[in-house]
Amino acid sequence: MADQDTNKDLGTQGVEDTVSGKTKQAAGKIQKNTGKALGNKEMQAKGKARELGGKVQSKGGKVERKVDKALDE
């Protein structure tokens, strides 16, 4: 079965990764702050990890878009 992402160019995939990363980042921040408010260190740690993962994905998406732009020139 073919992967759906194989038909996308880097620019399109980059936009999707950036948006998805920002969403994960926001959800992680909410989870982290909720854990902090409840005194739940495990929830807080999971939220922080989720937030960081989203940040990395978002940055990766930006890099994909820059590469795509450079390849188009």
Side-chain angles (χ1 to χ4, degrees), residues 8-14 62-73:
K8 297 178 185 173
D9 67 5
L10 279 175
T12 302
Q13 186 62 44
K62 288 179 183 178
V63 169
E64 288 173 334
R65 290 184 2 224
K66 285 182 181 180
V67 168
D68 184 60
K69 186 176 179 181
L71 290 174
D72 286 345
E73 291 178 350

Side-chain angles (χ1 to χ4, degrees), residues 2-18 20 57 64-65 68 71-72:
D3 184 8
Q4 290 179 349
D5 293 338
T6 57
N7 295 330
K8 297 178 185 173
D9 67 5
L10 279 175
T12 302
Q13 186 62 44
V15 169
E16 289 177 5
D17 284 344
T18 301
S20 181
Q57 184 178 9
E64 288 173 334
R65 290 184 2 224
D68 184 60
L71 290 174
D72 286 345

Side-chain angles (χ1 to χ4, degrees), residues 29-62:
K29 190 171 189 171
I30 291 168
Q31 185 177 14
K32 178 184 75 175
N33 290 336
T34 301
K36 188 174 184 178
L38 297 174
N40 185 332
K41 294 203 181 280
E42 183 180 352
M43 181 186 281
Q44 192 174 352
K46 285 181 180 180
K48 191 171 186 176
R50 190 176 189 184
E51 184 178 10
L52 180 61
K55 187 177 279 190
V56 169
Q57 184 178 9
S58 179
K59 294 284 184 185
K62 288 179 183 178

